[in-house]
Amino acid sequence: MTFRKRRILAALLALALCLSLLPMSALAAEADALGETGPEEAVCTCTAPCTEGGMDTACPVCGAERAAPEDCGQSLP
């Protein structure tokens, strides 16, 4: 390997080591600054209130695992 190739390889390895030292929170803050968001919250799409015996499984909120009738957007307060 020639001296020039070794020098380029050493520079690339040094850059990779420096990038691995960046905290992940800095990368997350950068994503927030760009307007990127995490997963969106599910919105209830029920047309009638859900009950213990009848949950709308097609609804992303009420059909979720361990969903309660109180989670339904149509439930009475």
Side-chain angles (χ1 to χ4, degrees):
M1 206 185 262
T2 65
F3 178 71
R4 177 172 261 171
K5 287 182 182 178
R6 281 192 220 169
R7 192 170 193 177
I8 292 172
L9 181 62
L12 289 174
L13 287 174
L15 179 64
L17 285 172
C18 290
L19 291 177
S20 69
L21 293 174
L22 284 175
M24 293 310 262
S25 58
L27 298 175
E30 184 178 309
D32 289 344
L34 295 174
E36 297 173 10
T37 59
E40 294 183 20
E41 273 190 45
V43 178
C44 184
T45 59
C46 294
T47 56
C50 292
T51 61
E52 282 290 334
M55 299 286 285
D56 183 5
T57 56
C59 174
V61 174
C62 302
E65 190 174 330
R66 295 190 180 123
E70 299 82 39
D71 298 338
C72 181
Q74 298 294 322
S75 67
L76 299 173

